Amino acid sequence: MTTLKSKLQDDLNVAIKERDELRSSTLRLTLAAITKEEVAGKEKRVLSDDEVQKVIAREAKKRREAADAFAQGGRAEQAEREKAEGEILATYLPRPLSDEQLQEIVAQAVEEAKAAGAEGPRAMGAVMKIVNPKVAGQAEGGRVAAAVKKLLAG
């Protein structure tokens, strides 16, 4: 078992003992998603910490989207629960990049792409290929794409 997955399991056990319903249900759902990912495909495999982190990030994103949907639908109580679940999952993810850090990484990538011959708005794909590995798990794709577009247009 990977270290991140075992930490989730240990935290689940603590949450159950403390009768923390929100934390225990959130961790149960996340561990179920990890297990589902492990058995998907032709044969069972053990996920690496990076893969587990991607599953946690995906689950956290689901919570944010659900919270927005509940808030728009006028169901504040469910929206608050989804937000709380997202905050629990965020503790297992790396700290997100600040806007300044993201701008710096994107600016470097734009320079690299220009050096490689990519120019203007059509360079978007080349820049994204450079940026994505550097910001994996620390910034959402939409936020990265917006920063790249802004720099390429400017």
Side-chain angles (χ1 to χ4, degrees), residues 92-134:
Y92 297 98
L93 296 170
R95 292 178 51 100
L97 291 172
S98 69
D99 288 338
E100 294 80 32
Q101 291 170 318
L102 181 60
Q103 289 293 350
E104 193 175 300
I105 291 170
V106 169
Q108 289 173 350
V110 167
E111 291 305 314
E112 283 181 45
K114 282 183 180 174
E119 288 287 330
R122 280 185 244 145
M124 179 89 177
V127 175
M128 290 298 284
K129 281 181 187 171
I130 297 168
V131 173
N132 278 337
K134 294 179 182 177

Side-chain angles (χ1 to χ4, degrees), residues 12 15-16 20-32 63 81 85 88-89:
L12 173 61
I16 290 170
D20 185 344
E21 190 275 330
L22 177 68
R23 181 175 284 281
S24 62
S25 70
T26 302
L27 293 177
R28 271 193 185 110
L29 286 169
T30 304
L31 283 165
R63 299 311 188 289
R81 180 172 172 97
E85 288 180 2
I88 290 170
L89 292 175

Side-chain angles (χ1 to χ4, degrees), residues 61 124 128 132 135 139-148:
K61 183 178 179 187
M124 179 89 177
M128 290 298 284
N132 278 337
V135 300
E140 278 189 23
R143 194 171 147 221
V144 174
V148 171

Side-chain angles (χ1 to χ4, degrees), residues 17-89:
K17 286 177 186 170
E18 292 176 356
R19 300 192 187 287
D20 185 344
E21 190 275 330
L22 177 68
R23 181 175 284 281
S24 62
S25 70
T26 302
L27 293 177
R28 271 193 185 110
L29 286 169
T30 304
L31 283 165
I34 291 168
T35 303
K36 182 180 176 190
E37 190 75 24
E38 286 178 334
V39 298
K42 293 196 183 286
E43 57 186 61
K44 187 175 180 186
R45 63 192 176 94
V46 176
L47 298 181
S48 68
D49 274 351
D50 287 343
E51 292 170 314
V52 170
Q53 209 167 36
K54 285 179 185 173
V55 172
I56 295 171
R58 189 169 56 229
E59 291 296 310
K61 183 178 179 187
K62 284 181 190 175
R63 299 311 188 289
R64 282 192 303 276
E65 290 171 351
D68 290 344
F70 281 133
Q72 289 174 358
R75 298 175 68 185
E77 196 173 299
Q78 283 93 345
E80 285 303 313
R81 180 172 172 97
E82 293 291 336
K83 277 184 188 167
E85 288 180 2
E87 288 167 9
I88 290 170
L89 292 175

